[in-house]
Structures are given as structure tokens and as C-alpha cells.
Amino acid sequence: MARAVILGTGSGAPARVVTNRDLEARMDTSDAWITQRTGIRERRMGGDAVKWSDFMVPACRAALDAAGVAAEDLDMIVAGTLTSDKRMPSGGCTLQTLLGARKAVGFDLAAACSGFIYGLTVADRFIRLEPRLKVLVVGGEVISQRIDWDDRTTAVLFGDGGGAAVLTGTDDPDRGILASRIHSDGDLWDLLYIPAGGSEMPPGREQDPRRDHAIHMRGNELFRVAVRSMADVCAEVLDEAGVDPSDVDIVVPHQANLRILQAVAQRFSIPEDRVFVNIDRYGNTSAGTIPLALDEAVRAGRVSRGDVVLMPVFGGGLTWGATLVRW
Ligand code: COA
């Protein structure tokens, strides 16, 4: 049976860097607290001056170039995002027109931070059925516009950025997505959510517009669920593919908190030097973290043909999932 293979990756982020010291000037926090509790040193923040497509289009073009695929040959664009340029059209349709991917179908997956892994899973299933398909999967956010600057427990964590991957089918039994699984638990919605913007609190019904459109989070509880759910789904994809954790060459995890990544890697006795980390430079870019980290890992030569790559994620919903690839 054909497998889905990643042909190329790309990434992008707004140029403006916001350091922990910059945040110290804005709220009651410290570089030491943020670094020790999260591993974050700086993040990119476009704020109101940047829209999603400004950095996602270059990310997609870089992925298409790396893959050697022309935009007009794409069949599908799957966008994992909550913050594309407009409420309507979808980010997938916006990318379709800006890239000139005339024959593709574009659509979004609203899975918060898990959007890219949800997208890879959908692409994997489509490609298994139709191996000739060329699919662009993207994940990225402008989260800086969704921050309550009076809430130091969330404001220090997030940043803007994202990335993209181009996939198609291969008959090569030694390559491609070995397993990809996604899950959700709607009962846990209130660990991480944005109150306004839907039909429950439509435009004009906000009490405090800035705060109601911002991320609300119960960080402590989320931390525990994150470690457990990511570890469980890693075990699930490893089992399904018959891969031993010691055979994983690199973990490219969701970058939410350095301590979460370390805890998940420890569950499988995966040494820290096999875990790709860039949270220090980007913070949590939600659906952007995995494609951004994957692209950096590929371009840094950390991922070679034949390597086993494990990508676990969790996010609002709650949603979680993992994709296991032999590169
Ligand atoms: N600067 C300084 N102090 C802060 C702070 C900040 N930015 N944010 C919280 N604090 C304080 C708290 O008020 C608390 O003070 P107290 O002990 O006087 O009450 C203290 O630091 C410890 O807070 P706590 O929430 O227990 O810290 P923590 O070690 O759990 O770390 C998170 C907080 C948010 C970093 C951590 O829980 C986390 O990463 N959770 C998961 C979040 C996540 O992954 N979100 C995205 C999901 S996709």
C-alpha cells in the first residue's frame, strides 16, 4: 500500500523579536521565571501590523521549492489555524489564491495547536487512497493578537510563526508516514479556550473585547494532561508501526513548555539530544510549532533519509495526536 511521504518543508515568522526582558518592562514577570519554568527566551510577535499570510505564504513557497512542486500542481491545501487573515474565507482558500494553486481544494482544520498533526493525518489518509495527490499541509498562527497583556500566566508563553510541508504518495516501503493518530476530549475544553468570536459571544456582545478574544488557560492542569496525552499517543503510533522508542532518531514535539518535552522524552528514555527544541527562540506558536521546528531540523541537517521522526502534539479542544515518519 502506498504511503504519504514529506517531499519538502518551509517555515516563516514575523521579523519583530520580543525578549523576556521586553516583557519584564510590560508586566510583573522576570527573565529568570520565564526561562526556568518554560525554556522560552524570546518569541516573534507581529502584533496588529502583521497578518497570517504575510509569513505563511513565504513558508509555503519555501516548502514547494524544497519539494520541487509547482503551486499549480497542488491538489489540496490543508491549513491548521485559528488566526488566518479573515473569518471567511478559510486560510486554505486564502493560500490557494495567494500561491496560485488553481486546481487545489483549500480548507482549514480548527484543532488549535494540534492543527498541523491533524492536517498530516488527513493528508495521509487521502494520499493512501489516491497516491498521486500532492498536498500542502500548513500550521501557523498570529497568536500575539490573542494575548491578554494583563494575564502574565499566558502572555509570556506564546509567539507568532508557522510552517508547511508538501506530501505525496510513494510505493517505496522504506519511507513515509508509518502511523498518524489524532484524538480529542471536548469535556476538557475549559483548560484552554478563547471565549469570543463564535456564536456564543458574537461581535458586539463582548464585555471586554481585548480579553474576551484572548487565550484563557488553566496552565497547571493542562501541564499534567499534556504530558499524559502526548506520551499515550506516542506509545500508540510506535506500537502501530512496530517501532521501538530506542529507534526514534529525532522527536520534533509541540513546543509548549521545555519541561513538558523533557517529561515526554523521559517516559520513553529518549535522550535529550534527540529532542529538537526551538521554544527558546519562538515560544509556543500553537499550530506553528511542529512545522516550524521540523523545517529548522531539516535545514540544519538533523533529519536524514531513513531517520525515524516522531512528532507529538496537544492543544485546545482538548486535542492531541502524533505522526511517526521514516524520512
Ligand atoms: N512571571 C512570574 N511569575 C509568574 C508568572 C510569570 N509570567 N506566571 C505565573 N507566575 C507565578 C504564579 O502566580 C505563582 O505564584 P505563587 O506561587 O505566588 O502563587 C508561581 O508563579 C507558580 O505558578 P504556577 O502556575 O504553579 O507555575 P508552573 O510551574 O505551573 O508554570 C506554566 C506555569 C503556565 C508555565 C505551566 O503550568 C505550563 O506550561 N502549563 C502548560 C501550558 C501550556 O502548555 N499551554 C499551551 C497549550 S498548547
Side-chain angles (χ1 to χ4, degrees), residues 25 31 35 43 59 88 106 117 130-131 135-136 144 153 157 175 181 187 196 202 219 253 271 286 294 308 315:
D31 175 44
T35 310
R43 70 287 288 144
M88 184 169 70
I117 295 302
E130 269 186 89
V135 183
L136 179 69
S144 59
T153 67
L157 300 179
R175 289 181 71 195
R181 290 280 153 192
D187 287 352
S286 182
L294 181 64
V308 174

Side-chain angles (χ1 to χ4, degrees), residues 12 96 133 147 162 181 192 210 227 249 274 281 292 322 325:
Q96 179 189 10
L133 292 181
I147 283 171
R181 290 280 153 192
L192 187 60
R210 213 57 210 179
V227 174
D249 294 289
R274 288 199 211 156
R281 287 176 291 117
L292 190 52
V325 184

Side-chain angles (χ1 to χ4, degrees), residues 179-201:
S180 195
R181 290 280 153 192
I182 50 177
H183 296 282
S184 68
D185 183 350
D187 287 352
L188 298 177
W189 67 272
D190 60 347
L191 294 188
L192 187 60
Y193 68 103
I194 297 174
S199 56
E200 189 177 303
M201 199 187 285

